[in-house]
Amino acid sequence: MKPQVLVARNVFPEVVERLREHFEVEDNPGDRIYTKAELIERLKGKVGAFTTGSVMIDAEVLDANPQLRVLANMAVGYNNFDMAACTARGVLCTNTPDVLTETTADFGFALMMATARRIAESEHYLRRGEWSKWFYDMFVGSDIHHATLGILGMGRIGQAIARRGAHGFEMRVLYHNRSRLDPSIEASCKATYVGKEQLLREADHLVIVMPYSKESHHAVGAPELALMKPTATLTNIARGGIVDDAALAKALAERRIAAAGLDVFEGEPTVHPDLLKVPNVVLTPHIASATVATRRAMADLAADNLIAALGFGPNAGKPPTPINPEVMKS
Ligand code: 8YV
């Protein structure tokens, strides 16, 4: 009898088939979003789970399923896992870094550009049939090239955005991070480390790429927005909850900053109603990693992790991208 695993969301059928070579798989082709009670029930008897960012795993879920050994998240972010609870119970967690870095950076840059150059707002105007003549200040925005790019969170994706800005658009790049990067990385990104306050004050375009945690909750709220230039833009491709969406909607409505581009939201897929009312925000439904090739690479890596962590395949016992490898030693 093969070990049982749960594939908690719908994914590429080929990836599910690959999992079936090693496991009894309960999949979710209807893509039902399980309630916590349903998730607990579905996990019964399963030693592993293939999850995405919407599948919340906490101590209650784990305690109801003490047989669970491995959680493979198809995402680089893993704030849907209570890591302390997983590690304390010896549950190995994996994520999908690297494979989505460049794709996500492309999107972050695109969203920043759409925001600065008012692409969505002007398209809506055209579609409404309001375009009747050219005028000199029609949808004037702000330049990207030679402007100051401020990056909050300088991990792999932040660095990839910095490289695009510095080398492609000759931007001045400032960053703030929990820790300062190695000088060789700073040099390759042409990026200068500054304090958070200086970053907020000097950025023409602020891009948020930091991970979400209790500590980063509302890292950008009313006080931080108040430091920004009235001409500045803010782009968030990290996680909902890092920005205080209500405070941002107010700042946008009062034109205290020029515009925002948001791919992630507090409580998504619900979007703060005030954000839907302001014109100077570009809103996208958490699609920064959404290219066919990258989503497939993420699914493949999550499957590789699940297979290897449960002791199968060519890398048996050596999952490629563990989050808490310390549980493998115990
Ligand atoms: C995913 C993401 O689309 O990888 C991440 O952390 O935010 C996105 O790439 C999403 O989380 C699905 O799991």
Side-chain angles (χ1 to χ4, degrees):
M1 174 84 173
K2 293 173 182 170
Q4 295 179 47
V5 301
L6 177 70
V7 177
R9 295 291 310 274
N10 191 32
V11 283
F12 298 92
E14 302 87 336
V15 175
V16 177
E17 282 317 303
R18 196 150 70 82
L19 292 172
R20 287 195 203 284
E21 290 169 19
H22 306 283
F23 310 118
E24 285 299 321
V25 177
E26 177 178 337
D27 62 347
N28 182 4
D31 211 23
R32 185 175 163 76
I33 305 286
Y34 300 137
T35 61
K36 189 191 255 197
E38 283 171 330
L39 180 63
I40 286 175
E41 203 44 44
R42 301 267 171 191
L43 282 169
K44 289 275 153 70
K46 313 292 191 303
V47 289
F50 181 116
T51 59
T52 69
S54 63
V55 182
M56 310 304 285
I57 306 280
D58 61 12
E60 191 186 341
V61 173
L62 297 172
D63 286 341
N65 285 283
Q67 80 293 340
L68 199 55
R69 307 294 346 129
V70 180
L71 297 169
N73 216 27
M74 181 185 150
V76 65
Y78 48 85
N79 56 301
N80 54 310
F81 294 162
D82 179 336
M83 284 309 303
C86 289
T87 303
R89 288 160 182 76
V91 174
L92 179 71
C93 301
T94 67
N95 66 341
T96 60
D98 300 316
V99 291
L100 47 58
T101 299
E102 300 299 331
T103 296
T104 305
D106 283 350
F107 187 87
F109 216 87
L111 187 56
M112 176 185 75
M113 293 191 78
T115 301
R117 296 302 307 274
R118 305 175 65 179
I119 288 176
E121 195 184 348
S122 61
E123 197 218 351
H124 295 151
Y125 165 89
L126 181 152
R127 283 182 187 272
R128 287 194 303 269
E130 291 177 27
W131 184 25
S132 58
K133 62 178 186 204
W134 178 93
F135 51 99
Y136 82 97
D137 61 350
M138 181 181 185
F139 290 106
V140 289
S142 58
D143 280 323
I144 299 292
H145 69 273
H146 299 167
T148 297
L149 171 60
I151 302 181
L152 189 55
M154 196 67 159
R156 285 167 279 229
I157 298 169
Q159 291 166 32
I161 292 173
R163 286 195 300 273
R164 281 160 177 73
H167 300 289
F169 292 78
E170 297 182 346
M171 298 178 87
R172 170 182 176 237
V173 180
L174 304 178
Y175 77 96
H176 182 72
N177 198 42
R178 268 174 306 189
S179 51
R180 193 172 165 174
L181 300 180
D182 190 86
S184 65
I185 301 177
E186 287 187 347
S188 73
C189 298
K190 293 193 182 173
T192 304
Y193 178 82
V194 293
K196 186 175 169 190
E197 185 170 331
Q198 188 182 350
L199 187 85
L200 292 162
R201 284 191 195 283
E202 293 188 18
D204 294 313
H205 304 295
L206 178 73
V207 180
I208 301 169
V209 215
M210 70 204 291
Y212 181 77
S213 63
K214 267 194 236 81
E215 293 71 43
S216 64
H217 182 74
H218 287 188
V220 178
E224 290 76 19
L225 292 164
L227 296 174
M228 294 176 68
K229 297 179 188 181
T231 51
T233 72
L234 175 156
T235 297
N236 184 10
I237 57 163
R239 277 289 180 274
I242 295 175
V243 175
D244 177 345
D245 285 349
L248 176 63
K250 194 161 184 288
L252 290 167
E254 294 170 2
R255 304 271 165 178
R256 283 190 278 109
I257 66 167
L262 304 175
D263 187 49
V264 289
F265 305 88
E266 285 189 274
E268 65 186 52
T270 302
V271 175
H272 195 291
D274 293 351
L275 285 172
L276 297 170
K277 290 185 201 136
V278 285
N280 46 342
V281 60
V282 185
L283 306 167
T284 53
H286 202 149
I287 56 168
S289 67
T291 66
V292 178
T294 291
R295 284 287 164 82
R296 180 59 197 263
M298 292 164 68
D300 279 333
L301 180 53
D304 290 346
N305 273 310
L306 194 54
I307 292 166
L310 286 169
F312 295 90
N315 299 319
K318 292 195 187 86
T321 50
I323 303 165
N324 54 348
E326 61 273 24
V327 306
M328 291 191 287
K329 293 184 196 100
S330 50

